[in-house]
Amino acid sequence: MKHTYFIQLLTTLLLMTAISSCTQSHIIPEVQTDKQVTLFPDYTGVTFPSNIAPPNFRIMEEGEEYYTEIGNKNKVFVTIRSKEPSVVIPVKEWGELLKQTTGNTFYIRIYILQTGRWTQFPDITNIISPAPIDPYLVYRLIYPGYELWNQMGIYQRDLTSYREIPLIENQSIEKGCLNCHTFCKNSPETMMIHTRGEVGGTLVYRQGNISRLDVNTPEMKNGGTYAAWHPGGRYLAFSVNEIRQYFHTTGPKAVEVSDSESDLVLLDTETNRLISSPSIYGKEWMETFPAWNPDGTMLYFCRSKAIDKNTPLDSIRYDLCRISFDAGKENLGTPECIYEASLKGKSVSFPRISPDGKYLMFTCSNYGNFSIWHPESELYLLNMETNEIRNMEEVNSNDVESFHTWSSTGEWFVFSSKRQDGLWAHPYIAKFDNQKGTAGKPFVLPQKDPDFYLNFTRTFNLPELITTPVKIGNELIKQTRNNKETVSWDRK
Protein backbone atom coordinates (compact mmCIF):
# COMPACT_ATOMS: atom_id res chain seq x y z
CA MET A 1 0.00 0.00 0.00
CA LYS A 2 2.80 2.38 0.90
CA HIS A 3 4.44 1.70 -2.46
CA THR A 4 1.18 2.45 -4.31
CA TYR A 5 0.60 5.61 -2.25
CA PHE A 6 4.05 6.99 -3.05
CA ILE A 7 3.57 6.28 -6.79
CA GLN A 8 0.25 8.15 -6.73
CA LEU A 9 1.82 11.05 -4.81
CA LEU A 10 4.74 11.27 -7.22
CA THR A 11 2.38 11.20 -10.19
CA THR A 12 0.29 14.01 -8.67
CA LEU A 13 3.37 16.14 -8.00
CA LEU A 14 4.65 15.65 -11.55
CA LEU A 15 1.25 16.57 -12.97
CA MET A 16 1.08 19.70 -10.78
CA THR A 17 4.61 20.67 -11.90
CA ALA A 18 3.66 20.24 -15.55
CA ILE A 19 0.50 22.32 -15.11
CA SER A 20 2.50 24.97 -13.25
CA SER A 21 5.13 25.07 -16.02
CA CYS A 22 2.46 25.52 -18.68
CA THR A 23 0.85 28.29 -16.67
CA GLN A 24 4.20 29.99 -16.15
CA SER A 25 5.00 29.96 -19.87
CA HIS A 26 1.63 31.39 -20.98
CA ILE A 27 1.70 35.17 -21.23
CA ILE A 28 -1.38 37.38 -21.38
CA PRO A 29 -0.23 40.77 -22.69
CA GLU A 30 -1.43 43.91 -20.99
CA VAL A 31 -0.11 46.16 -23.76
CA GLN A 32 0.06 45.66 -27.53
CA THR A 33 2.30 47.91 -29.61
CA ASP A 34 2.69 48.57 -33.32
CA LYS A 35 6.40 49.15 -32.86
CA GLN A 36 8.53 46.48 -34.55
CA VAL A 37 10.91 44.70 -32.20
CA THR A 38 14.58 44.91 -33.15
CA LEU A 39 16.63 41.70 -33.33
CA PHE A 40 20.39 41.27 -33.59
CA PRO A 41 21.27 39.79 -35.98
CA ASP A 42 18.40 41.00 -38.14
CA TYR A 43 16.47 37.80 -38.81
CA THR A 44 13.25 39.53 -39.81
CA GLY A 45 11.42 39.20 -43.11
CA VAL A 46 13.96 36.82 -44.62
CA THR A 47 13.84 33.51 -46.48
CA PHE A 48 15.89 30.71 -44.92
CA PRO A 49 17.09 27.52 -46.64
CA SER A 50 15.44 24.30 -45.52
CA ASN A 51 18.73 23.04 -44.06
CA ILE A 52 20.14 26.01 -42.11
CA ALA A 53 21.22 25.98 -38.46
CA PRO A 54 19.00 27.83 -35.94
CA PRO A 55 19.26 31.62 -36.35
CA ASN A 56 19.85 32.59 -32.72
CA PHE A 57 19.42 36.24 -31.84
CA ARG A 58 19.33 38.92 -29.15
CA ILE A 59 16.23 41.05 -28.51
CA MET A 60 17.44 44.64 -28.65
CA GLU A 61 14.78 46.11 -26.37
CA GLU A 62 14.98 46.96 -22.68
CA GLY A 63 12.95 44.76 -20.37
CA GLU A 64 12.79 42.90 -17.07
CA GLU A 65 11.81 39.60 -18.67
CA TYR A 66 11.35 38.16 -22.17
CA TYR A 67 9.06 35.56 -23.66
CA THR A 68 9.59 34.25 -27.21
CA GLU A 69 7.33 31.90 -29.13
CA ILE A 70 8.25 30.41 -32.52
CA GLY A 71 5.79 28.46 -34.62
CA ASN A 72 3.77 28.15 -37.81
CA LYS A 73 0.02 28.27 -38.45
CA ASN A 74 -0.39 24.74 -37.11
CA LYS A 75 1.93 24.42 -34.16
CA VAL A 76 4.13 26.18 -31.61
CA PHE A 77 7.60 24.62 -31.71
CA VAL A 78 9.60 26.79 -29.33
CA THR A 79 8.76 28.76 -26.17
CA ILE A 80 11.53 30.50 -24.26
CA ARG A 81 11.02 32.61 -21.13
CA SER A 82 14.05 34.30 -19.62
CA LYS A 83 15.31 37.40 -17.86
CA GLU A 84 18.02 37.55 -20.55
CA PRO A 85 17.30 38.97 -24.03
CA SER A 86 19.30 36.24 -25.80
CA VAL A 87 17.26 33.63 -27.66
CA VAL A 88 18.99 30.32 -28.33
CA ILE A 89 16.67 28.10 -30.37
CA PRO A 90 16.84 24.38 -29.46
CA VAL A 91 18.32 22.43 -32.36
CA LYS A 92 15.79 19.57 -32.21
CA GLU A 93 12.75 21.87 -32.21
CA TRP A 94 14.23 24.00 -34.99
CA GLY A 95 14.74 20.86 -37.07
CA GLU A 96 11.09 19.94 -36.62
CA LEU A 97 10.02 23.44 -37.59
CA LEU A 98 12.11 23.23 -40.77
CA LYS A 99 10.50 19.91 -41.73
CA GLN A 100 6.94 21.03 -41.05
CA THR A 101 7.22 24.55 -42.45
CA THR A 102 9.13 23.98 -45.70
CA GLY A 103 7.66 26.19 -48.39
CA ASN A 104 5.65 28.22 -45.87
CA THR A 105 6.02 30.99 -43.31
CA PHE A 106 6.75 30.84 -39.60
CA TYR A 107 6.44 33.51 -36.95
CA ILE A 108 8.53 34.79 -34.06
CA ARG A 109 6.25 36.27 -31.37
CA ILE A 110 7.89 38.31 -28.63
CA TYR A 111 6.52 39.61 -25.33
CA ILE A 112 8.61 41.85 -23.09
CA LEU A 113 7.94 42.68 -19.44
CA GLN A 114 8.49 46.43 -19.19
CA THR A 115 7.81 48.43 -16.00
CA GLY A 116 5.83 45.50 -14.64
CA ARG A 117 3.57 45.01 -17.67
CA TRP A 118 3.82 42.50 -20.50
CA THR A 119 3.96 44.14 -23.94
CA GLN A 120 3.28 42.12 -27.09
CA PHE A 121 5.15 43.22 -30.21
CA PRO A 122 4.03 42.56 -33.81
CA ASP A 123 4.85 39.09 -35.09
CA ILE A 124 8.03 38.66 -37.12
CA THR A 125 7.35 36.58 -40.23
CA ASN A 126 9.99 34.59 -42.11
CA ILE A 127 9.87 31.93 -44.83
CA ILE A 128 11.41 28.47 -45.01
CA SER A 129 12.29 27.84 -48.66
CA PRO A 130 11.91 24.29 -50.02
CA ALA A 131 15.32 24.82 -51.64
CA PRO A 132 18.31 23.74 -49.51
CA ILE A 133 21.59 25.59 -49.70
CA ASP A 134 24.94 23.89 -50.36
CA PRO A 135 25.65 22.69 -46.81
CA TYR A 136 29.28 23.85 -46.45
CA LEU A 137 30.93 27.25 -46.55
CA VAL A 138 34.70 27.69 -46.86
CA TYR A 139 36.28 31.03 -45.93
CA ARG A 140 39.47 32.61 -44.74
CA LEU A 141 39.53 34.22 -41.28
CA ILE A 142 41.92 37.12 -40.97
CA TYR A 143 42.35 40.21 -38.84
CA PRO A 144 41.49 43.41 -40.75
CA GLY A 145 44.78 45.05 -39.80
CA TYR A 146 48.27 43.95 -40.79
CA GLU A 147 50.01 43.52 -37.44
CA LEU A 148 48.45 40.05 -37.02
CA TRP A 149 48.77 38.88 -40.63
CA ASN A 150 50.50 35.69 -39.40
CA GLN A 151 47.35 34.54 -37.59
CA MET A 152 45.02 33.36 -40.32
CA GLY A 153 43.46 30.20 -41.62
CA ILE A 154 41.03 28.71 -44.10
CA TYR A 155 38.02 27.14 -42.38
CA GLN A 156 35.03 25.01 -43.26
CA ARG A 157 31.64 25.59 -41.69
CA ASP A 158 28.77 23.10 -41.71
CA LEU A 159 25.74 25.31 -42.42
CA THR A 160 23.32 22.71 -41.04
CA SER A 161 25.03 23.07 -37.65
CA TYR A 162 27.59 25.40 -36.07
CA ARG A 163 30.54 23.06 -36.57
CA GLU A 164 33.62 24.82 -37.92
CA ILE A 165 36.89 23.03 -38.62
CA PRO A 166 40.19 24.41 -39.93
CA LEU A 167 41.32 23.15 -43.33
CA ILE A 168 44.71 24.77 -43.12
CA GLU A 169 46.12 27.37 -40.70
CA ASN A 170 49.32 29.28 -41.18
CA GLN A 171 50.52 28.20 -37.74
CA SER A 172 50.91 24.75 -39.32
CA ILE A 173 52.83 25.99 -42.39
CA GLU A 174 55.60 28.05 -40.77
CA LYS A 175 53.27 31.07 -40.43
CA GLY A 176 53.13 31.54 -44.19
CA CYS A 177 50.36 33.59 -45.75
CA LEU A 178 47.21 31.84 -46.98
CA ASN A 179 45.65 33.45 -50.00
CA CYS A 180 42.88 32.54 -52.41
CA HIS A 181 40.98 29.27 -52.49
CA THR A 182 38.57 28.18 -55.19
CA PHE A 183 36.52 25.14 -56.22
CA CYS A 184 35.28 23.73 -59.50
CA LYS A 185 31.47 23.87 -59.67
CA ASN A 186 31.12 23.99 -55.87
CA SER A 187 32.87 20.64 -55.43
CA PRO A 188 35.84 19.94 -53.11
CA GLU A 189 36.90 17.14 -55.47
CA THR A 190 38.60 19.81 -57.59
CA MET A 191 40.07 22.71 -55.63
CA MET A 192 42.99 25.09 -55.27
CA ILE A 193 44.64 27.00 -52.40
CA HIS A 194 47.50 29.51 -52.53
CA THR A 195 50.17 29.62 -49.83
CA ARG A 196 53.01 32.14 -49.45
CA GLY A 197 56.26 32.18 -47.54
CA GLU A 198 58.82 29.44 -46.90
CA VAL A 199 56.41 26.69 -47.91
CA GLY A 200 54.63 28.78 -50.53
CA GLY A 201 53.06 27.43 -53.68
CA THR A 202 49.76 26.68 -55.34
CA LEU A 203 48.09 23.54 -54.00
CA VAL A 204 45.98 21.88 -56.70
CA TYR A 205 43.73 18.95 -55.84
CA ARG A 206 42.01 17.01 -58.63
CA GLN A 207 41.25 13.37 -59.43
CA GLY A 208 42.40 12.34 -55.95
CA ASN A 209 45.90 13.84 -56.24
CA ILE A 210 47.48 16.95 -54.69
CA SER A 211 50.22 18.91 -56.44
CA ARG A 212 52.23 21.85 -55.17
CA LEU A 213 53.00 24.09 -58.13
CA ASP A 214 54.93 27.25 -58.82
CA VAL A 215 52.60 29.12 -61.19
CA ASN A 216 55.43 31.18 -62.59
CA THR A 217 58.27 30.80 -65.09
CA PRO A 218 61.51 32.70 -65.76
CA GLU A 219 59.73 34.44 -68.66
CA MET A 220 57.03 35.82 -66.32
CA LYS A 221 57.51 38.77 -64.00
CA ASN A 222 54.56 37.88 -61.73
CA GLY A 223 53.08 34.65 -60.41
CA GLY A 224 49.53 33.30 -60.34
CA THR A 225 47.09 35.09 -58.02
CA TYR A 226 43.31 35.03 -58.55
CA ALA A 227 42.04 31.80 -60.08
CA ALA A 228 38.95 30.21 -61.62
CA TRP A 229 38.38 26.58 -62.60
CA HIS A 230 37.24 25.77 -66.09
CA PRO A 231 33.98 23.75 -65.64
CA GLY A 232 35.68 20.72 -67.21
CA GLY A 233 38.08 20.63 -64.24
CA ARG A 234 41.26 20.57 -66.32
CA TYR A 235 42.19 24.21 -66.79
CA LEU A 236 42.72 26.93 -64.19
CA ALA A 237 42.55 30.53 -65.33
CA PHE A 238 44.93 32.72 -63.33
CA SER A 239 45.58 36.41 -63.14
CA VAL A 240 49.28 37.14 -62.64
CA ASN A 241 49.50 40.34 -60.63
CA GLU A 242 51.95 42.72 -59.09
CA ILE A 243 49.96 43.95 -56.09
CA ARG A 244 50.80 47.01 -54.02
CA GLN A 245 49.39 48.21 -50.72
CA TYR A 246 48.99 51.84 -49.71
CA PHE A 247 48.24 53.08 -46.18
CA HIS A 248 46.39 56.35 -45.58
CA THR A 249 46.75 58.28 -42.34
CA THR A 250 43.36 60.02 -42.75
CA GLY A 251 40.09 59.52 -44.56
CA PRO A 252 37.54 56.68 -44.66
CA LYS A 253 39.83 54.31 -46.57
CA ALA A 254 42.68 53.32 -44.29
CA VAL A 255 44.13 50.89 -46.82
CA GLU A 256 44.20 50.86 -50.60
CA VAL A 257 45.29 47.84 -52.61
CA SER A 258 46.02 48.14 -56.31
CA ASP A 259 47.62 46.29 -59.17
CA SER A 260 50.53 47.90 -60.97
CA GLU A 261 50.59 45.06 -63.51
CA SER A 262 48.30 42.12 -64.25
CA ASP A 263 47.65 39.64 -67.06
CA LEU A 264 45.84 36.34 -67.60
CA VAL A 265 47.18 32.83 -68.16
CA LEU A 266 45.60 29.36 -68.27
CA LEU A 267 47.17 26.43 -66.45
CA ASP A 268 46.68 23.00 -67.97
CA THR A 269 46.71 20.90 -64.80
CA GLU A 270 47.26 17.67 -66.73
CA THR A 271 50.52 18.81 -68.34
CA ASN A 272 51.55 21.69 -66.03
CA ARG A 273 51.72 24.04 -69.01
CA LEU A 274 50.77 27.71 -68.97
CA ILE A 275 48.82 28.96 -71.96
CA SER A 276 48.20 32.57 -72.88
CA SER A 277 47.86 34.99 -75.77
CA PRO A 278 48.92 38.57 -76.56
CA SER A 279 45.23 39.45 -76.39
CA ILE A 280 45.23 38.93 -72.60
CA TYR A 281 48.95 39.11 -71.78
CA GLY A 282 50.85 42.27 -72.61
CA LYS A 283 51.75 45.81 -71.63
CA GLU A 284 48.73 47.67 -73.00
CA TRP A 285 46.11 46.35 -70.55
CA MET A 286 45.77 45.04 -67.01
CA GLU A 287 43.51 41.97 -66.81
CA THR A 288 42.34 40.31 -63.59
CA PHE A 289 39.58 38.32 -61.81
CA PRO A 290 38.89 35.53 -64.34
CA ALA A 291 35.53 33.70 -64.34
CA TRP A 292 34.14 31.04 -66.70
CA ASN A 293 30.68 30.66 -68.14
CA PRO A 294 29.01 27.28 -67.38
CA ASP A 295 30.03 25.53 -70.63
CA GLY A 296 33.60 26.84 -70.52
CA THR A 297 33.49 28.54 -73.93
CA MET A 298 33.89 32.06 -72.56
CA LEU A 299 36.33 33.49 -70.03
CA TYR A 300 35.11 36.67 -68.36
CA PHE A 301 37.49 39.08 -66.67
CA CYS A 302 38.07 42.69 -65.62
CA ARG A 303 40.33 44.95 -67.67
CA SER A 304 41.87 48.40 -67.24
CA LYS A 305 44.31 50.43 -69.24
CA ALA A 306 47.91 49.89 -68.12
CA ILE A 307 49.24 52.42 -65.62
CA ASP A 308 52.57 53.87 -64.56
CA LYS A 309 53.93 55.17 -61.26
CA ASN A 310 52.34 58.58 -61.84
CA THR A 311 48.81 57.30 -62.42
CA PRO A 312 46.46 58.44 -59.63
CA LEU A 313 44.88 55.45 -57.86
CA ASP A 314 41.41 56.95 -58.04
CA SER A 315 41.61 57.14 -61.84
CA ILE A 316 42.06 53.37 -62.36
CA ARG A 317 38.80 51.79 -63.56
CA TYR A 318 38.08 48.29 -64.82
CA ASP A 319 35.58 47.25 -67.48
CA LEU A 320 33.90 43.85 -67.80
CA CYS A 321 35.25 41.83 -70.73
CA ARG A 322 35.23 38.32 -72.11
CA ILE A 323 37.22 36.16 -74.53
CA SER A 324 36.28 32.90 -76.23
CA PHE A 325 38.14 29.68 -75.47
CA ASP A 326 38.28 26.49 -77.52
CA ALA A 327 39.36 23.77 -75.06
CA GLY A 328 39.91 21.21 -77.82
CA LYS A 329 42.40 23.43 -79.65
CA GLU A 330 43.44 25.44 -76.57
CA ASN A 331 42.82 28.60 -78.56
CA LEU A 332 41.84 31.99 -77.16
CA GLY A 333 39.85 34.44 -79.28
CA THR A 334 39.63 38.23 -79.31
CA PRO A 335 38.62 40.18 -76.17
CA GLU A 336 35.23 41.86 -76.17
CA CYS A 337 34.08 44.54 -73.71
CA ILE A 338 30.53 43.88 -72.55
CA TYR A 339 30.20 46.59 -69.90
CA GLU A 340 32.29 49.75 -70.18
CA ALA A 341 31.91 50.77 -66.55
CA SER A 342 34.78 53.27 -66.83
CA LEU A 343 32.61 55.54 -69.01
CA LYS A 344 30.13 55.75 -66.12
CA GLY A 345 32.83 56.55 -63.56
CA LYS A 346 32.65 53.03 -62.13
CA SER A 347 34.95 50.02 -61.84
CA VAL A 348 34.15 46.29 -61.98
CA SER A 349 35.55 43.42 -59.92
CA PHE A 350 34.67 39.79 -59.07
CA PRO A 351 32.48 38.69 -62.00
CA ARG A 352 30.63 35.44 -61.17
CA ILE A 353 28.15 33.71 -63.51
CA SER A 354 25.14 31.75 -62.23
CA PRO A 355 25.17 27.98 -62.88
CA ASP A 356 22.38 28.31 -65.48
CA GLY A 357 24.35 30.98 -67.35
CA LYS A 358 21.52 33.53 -67.17
CA TYR A 359 23.07 36.06 -64.80
CA LEU A 360 26.47 37.56 -64.04
CA MET A 361 26.93 39.16 -60.63
CA PHE A 362 29.79 41.57 -60.06
CA THR A 363 31.00 44.18 -57.59
CA CYS A 364 30.94 47.81 -58.67
CA SER A 365 32.95 50.57 -56.98
CA ASN A 366 34.16 54.05 -57.88
CA TYR A 367 37.67 53.00 -58.87
CA GLY A 368 40.26 50.23 -58.52
CA ASN A 369 39.50 46.54 -58.10
CA PHE A 370 40.09 45.70 -54.44
CA SER A 371 36.54 46.48 -53.41
CA ILE A 372 36.74 45.14 -49.83
CA TRP A 373 38.30 48.50 -48.83
CA HIS A 374 35.72 50.60 -50.71
CA PRO A 375 32.65 51.55 -48.62
CA GLU A 376 30.77 52.49 -51.80
CA SER A 377 31.18 49.06 -53.43
CA GLU A 378 27.90 47.32 -54.27
CA LEU A 379 26.64 44.21 -56.02
CA TYR A 380 25.35 44.57 -59.59
CA LEU A 381 23.58 42.03 -61.81
CA LEU A 382 23.88 41.54 -65.56
CA ASN A 383 21.05 39.66 -67.29
CA MET A 384 22.97 37.66 -69.90
CA GLU A 385 19.84 37.25 -72.07
CA THR A 386 18.75 40.91 -72.20
CA ASN A 387 22.11 42.60 -71.39
CA GLU A 388 20.31 44.65 -68.75
CA ILE A 389 22.52 45.73 -65.84
CA ARG A 390 21.09 46.90 -62.53
CA ASN A 391 22.17 47.75 -59.02
CA MET A 392 21.02 45.00 -56.65
CA GLU A 393 19.48 47.48 -54.24
CA GLU A 394 17.57 44.71 -52.46
CA VAL A 395 20.81 43.31 -50.98
CA ASN A 396 23.13 46.33 -50.84
CA SER A 397 23.75 48.46 -47.76
CA ASN A 398 25.49 51.72 -46.88
CA ASP A 399 28.84 49.97 -46.56
CA VAL A 400 31.00 47.40 -48.35
CA GLU A 401 29.47 44.62 -50.43
CA SER A 402 32.25 42.65 -52.04
CA PHE A 403 33.24 39.05 -52.83
CA HIS A 404 30.31 36.75 -53.70
CA THR A 405 29.64 33.20 -54.94
CA TRP A 406 26.62 31.28 -56.20
CA SER A 407 25.35 28.02 -54.78
CA SER A 408 25.56 24.98 -57.06
CA THR A 409 21.89 25.39 -58.05
CA GLY A 410 21.95 29.17 -58.37
CA GLU A 411 19.07 29.45 -55.88
CA TRP A 412 21.29 31.05 -53.23
CA PHE A 413 24.36 33.22 -53.11
CA VAL A 414 26.69 34.35 -50.35
CA PHE A 415 28.61 37.62 -50.20
CA SER A 416 30.91 39.59 -47.92
CA SER A 417 29.51 42.72 -46.29
CA LYS A 418 30.78 45.23 -43.74
CA ARG A 419 27.31 46.63 -43.08
CA GLN A 420 27.47 46.02 -39.34
CA ASP A 421 30.24 48.47 -38.49
CA GLY A 422 32.34 49.18 -41.58
CA LEU A 423 35.30 47.20 -40.24
CA TRP A 424 34.53 43.47 -40.10
CA ALA A 425 33.38 41.59 -43.21
CA HIS A 426 30.73 38.96 -42.47
CA PRO A 427 29.11 36.39 -44.79
CA TYR A 428 25.52 37.16 -45.82
CA ILE A 429 23.20 34.71 -47.57
CA ALA A 430 20.33 35.59 -49.91
CA LYS A 431 17.70 33.64 -51.83
CA PHE A 432 17.75 34.23 -55.60
CA ASP A 433 14.77 33.98 -57.95
CA ASN A 434 16.26 33.04 -61.32
CA GLN A 435 12.97 33.65 -63.11
CA LYS A 436 12.65 37.26 -61.97
CA GLY A 437 16.34 37.92 -61.47
CA THR A 438 15.76 39.29 -57.98
CA ALA A 439 17.09 38.45 -54.53
CA GLY A 440 15.46 38.21 -51.12
CA LYS A 441 16.55 40.09 -48.03
CA PRO A 442 20.03 38.84 -47.00
CA PHE A 443 20.77 37.41 -43.57
CA VAL A 444 24.09 36.91 -41.83
CA LEU A 445 25.40 33.37 -41.30
CA PRO A 446 23.76 32.03 -38.09
CA GLN A 447 26.01 31.40 -35.10
CA LYS A 448 25.42 29.48 -31.85
CA ASP A 449 26.12 32.57 -29.73
CA PRO A 450 23.63 35.36 -30.50
CA ASP A 451 26.36 37.90 -29.62
CA PHE A 452 28.98 36.30 -31.86
CA TYR A 453 29.17 39.18 -34.33
CA LEU A 454 29.44 41.71 -31.52
CA ASN A 455 32.57 40.07 -30.12
CA PHE A 456 34.36 38.27 -32.96
CA THR A 457 37.44 40.21 -34.08
CA ARG A 458 38.34 38.56 -37.37
CA THR A 459 36.95 39.17 -40.81
CA PHE A 460 35.43 36.52 -43.09
CA ASN A 461 37.19 36.55 -46.44
CA LEU A 462 36.33 34.84 -49.76
CA PRO A 463 33.27 32.78 -48.73
CA GLU A 464 32.72 29.83 -51.10
CA LEU A 465 29.75 27.43 -51.00
CA ILE A 466 30.46 23.73 -51.58
CA THR A 467 28.20 20.68 -51.81
CA THR A 468 30.22 18.25 -49.66
CA PRO A 469 32.94 18.75 -47.04
CA VAL A 470 36.64 19.00 -47.77
CA LYS A 471 38.27 15.92 -46.26
CA ILE A 472 41.93 16.44 -47.16
CA GLY A 473 43.00 19.18 -44.73
CA ASN A 474 45.91 17.16 -43.30
CA GLU A 475 47.05 16.12 -46.78
CA LEU A 476 47.11 19.76 -47.88
CA ILE A 477 49.37 20.65 -44.94
CA LYS A 478 51.72 17.74 -45.72
CA GLN A 479 51.90 18.73 -49.39
CA THR A 480 53.27 22.19 -48.49
CA ARG A 481 56.49 20.43 -47.45
CA ASN A 482 56.91 18.41 -50.63
CA ASN A 483 58.92 19.56 -53.62
CA LYS A 484 57.35 22.30 -55.67
CA GLU A 485 56.67 21.36 -59.28
CA THR A 486 57.49 23.82 -62.05
CA VAL A 487 55.33 24.72 -65.01
CA SER A 488 56.25 25.40 -68.62
CA TRP A 489 55.26 28.42 -70.71
CA ASP A 490 53.30 28.03 -73.93
CA ARG A 491 52.59 31.60 -74.96
CA LYS A 492 50.70 31.57 -78.26
Side-chain angles (χ1 to χ4, degrees):
M1 291 292 294
K2 279 187 177 182
H3 183 66
T4 304
Y5 171 76
F6 281 117
I7 291 178
Q8 290 175 339
L9 180 61
L10 180 60
T11 303
T12 302
L13 289 172
L14 289 172
L15 180 60
M16 290 176 63
T17 301
I19 293 172
S20 175
S21 298
C22 292
T23 304
Q24 287 289 326
S25 65
H26 181 65
I27 301 297
I28 299 176
E30 299 164 86
V31 179
Q32 290 193 341
T33 179
D34 293 332
K35 177 189 174 185
Q36 296 292 328
V37 68
T38 302
L39 305 185
F40 179 86
D42 181 10
Y43 294 131
T44 65
V46 303
T47 298
F48 291 104
S50 58
N51 59 338
I52 198 74
N56 299 327
F57 57 87
R58 169 179 284 270
I59 302 168
M60 304 297 285
E61 306 285 346
E62 294 294 330
E64 297 105 50
E65 197 170 354
Y66 302 84
Y67 176 79
T68 302
E69 180 179 296
I70 304 175
N72 59 22
K73 61 182 180 180
N74 299 317
K75 182 180 178 180
V76 176
F77 292 86
V78 176
T79 58
I80 298 173
R81 183 170 179 173
S82 173
K83 293 187 180 298
E84 296 299 322
S86 294
V87 176
V88 178
I89 304 170
V91 172
K92 181 179 178 181
E93 285 77 1
W94 175 254
E96 286 299 314
L97 183 146
L98 288 177
K99 290 178 185 177
Q100 297 186 37
T101 316
T102 298
N104 293 298
T105 62
F106 73 94
Y107 67 85
I108 301 173
R109 185 170 297 156
I110 292 174
Y111 304 80
I112 303 178
L113 184 64
Q114 297 174 319
T115 61
R117 298 194 303 170
W118 283 102
T119 298
Q120 180 179 351
F121 288 78
D123 286 358
I124 294 164
T125 304
N126 296 310
I127 298 173
I128 302 298
S129 169
I133 193 170
D134 294 342
Y136 294 91
L137 187 68
V138 176
Y139 43 78
R140 181 171 67 158
L141 291 178
I142 185 171
Y143 288 95
Y146 287 84
E147 293 83 0
L148 298 173
W149 66 268
N150 61 346
Q151 296 180 32
M152 67 173 72
I154 296 176
Y155 298 84
Q156 176 174 261
R157 163 69 188 271
D158 181 352
L159 298 186
T160 68
S161 70
Y162 307 109
R163 185 168 182 259
E164 178 190 80
I165 62 170
L167 296 184
I168 183 169
E169 296 175 304
N170 64 356
Q171 300 296 318
S172 59
I173 56 168
E174 284 72 55
K175 297 186 180 180
C177 183
L178 292 164
N179 290 87
C180 305
H181 53 273
T182 190
F183 303 88
C184 181
K185 295 192 293 188
N186 303 82
S187 172
E189 297 304 313
T190 306
M191 61 178 290
M192 181 227 76
I193 293 178
H194 277 317
T195 62
R196 308 288 187 196
E198 293 181 17
V199 293
T202 298
L203 301 175
V204 175
Y205 176 67
R206 64 185 296 270
Q207 298 182 347
N209 297 311
I210 305 176
S211 301
R212 177 172 168 246
L213 304 178
D214 183 5
V215 186
N216 202 347
T217 69
E219 299 92 339
M220 295 167 55
K221 183 177 179 180
N222 306 305
T225 307
Y226 309 115
W229 281 100
H230 185 273
R234 174 172 175 173
Y235 298 97
L236 261 172
F238 279 98
S239 63
V240 288
N241 310 59
E242 182 176 339
I243 302 173
R244 294 182 179 177
Q245 297 173 357
Y246 304 87
F247 298 88
H248 303 298
T249 56
T250 61
K253 298 175 183 177
V255 179
E256 184 65 70
V257 180
S258 179
D259 290 337
S260 57
E261 294 179 1
S262 58
D263 296 289
L264 295 179
V265 297
L266 306 184
L267 170 67
D268 181 348
T269 60
E270 289 189 3
T271 62
N272 284 356
R273 290 181 304 114
L274 290 177
I275 306 163
S276 193
S277 162
S279 59
I280 54 172
Y281 195 106
K283 295 183 178 180
E284 183 180 0
W285 300 96
M286 297 194 301
E287 298 90 355
T288 190
F289 297 135
W292 295 97
N293 68 343
D295 64 10
T297 58
M298 284 285 179
L299 179 64
Y300 288 75
F301 57 95
C302 303
R303 184 176 71 172
S304 169
K305 280 285 188 180
I307 64 172
D308 58 37
K309 63 181 181 179
N310 296 317
T311 304
L313 294 179
D314 59 5
S315 71
I316 305 170
R317 293 185 174 89
Y318 288 77
D319 299 321
L320 179 61
C321 301
R322 67 184 180 187
I323 188 171
S324 62
F325 177 64
D326 184 332
K329 298 179 181 179
E330 293 187 337
N331 281 342
L332 291 155
T334 302
E336 171 191 7
C337 181
I338 62 171
Y339 178 47
E340 206 164 1
S342 56
L343 291 183
K344 302 179 184 297
K346 293 291 184 179
S347 188
V348 173
S349 57
F350 301 128
R352 288 293 182 102
I353 300 175
S354 60
D356 60 9
K358 290 175 62 175
Y359 301 96
L360 186 152
M361 195 181 297
F362 61 91
T363 300
C364 200
S365 54
N366 289 344
Y367 64 90
N369 67 0
F370 212 77
S371 52
I372 195 67
W373 294 109
H374 285 240
E376 80 283 357
S377 65
E378 297 180 310
L379 297 184
Y380 277 58
L381 193 71
L382 165 64
N383 185 318
M384 305 282 276
E385 296 175 345
T386 66
N387 292 322
E388 176 191 2
I389 293 175
R390 70 175 185 88
N391 183 317
M392 297 187 72
E393 295 177 348
E394 68 269 35
V395 300
N396 290 323
S397 69
N398 293 326
D399 218 299
V400 175
E401 268 70 61
S402 186
F403 187 86
H404 49 274
T405 53
W406 297 92
S407 69
S408 60
T409 64
E411 295 175 280
W412 302 92
F413 63 94
V414 61
F415 64 97
S416 295
S417 178
K418 291 185 177 180
R419 64 186 61 194
Q420 180 180 315
D421 55 17
L423 179 61
W424 316 103
H426 300 143
Y428 282 75
I429 297 168
K431 182 74 173 67
F432 187 76
D433 185 332
N434 63 359
Q435 297 301 314
K436 298 178 180 179
T438 58
K441 179 180 175 179
F443 63 92
V444 72
L445 174 66
Q447 302 288 350
K448 187 174 183 179
D449 180 3
D451 293 341
F452 176 88
Y453 293 109
L454 295 175
N455 303 317
F456 192 67
T457 56
R458 286 196 283 177
T459 198
F460 289 76
N461 188 245
L462 307 178
E464 291 264 6
L465 288 163
I466 54 175
T467 54
T468 56
V470 178
K471 299 178 180 178
I472 57 164
N474 291 334
E475 288 81 358
L476 290 170
I477 295 171
K478 291 176 183 176
Q479 190 65 34
T480 61
R481 291 165 176 79
N482 291 341
N483 292 332
K484 188 165 22 177
E485 300 177 38
T486 59
V487 298
S488 60
W489 178 242
D490 186 7
R491 187 176 180 183
K492 298 186 177 182

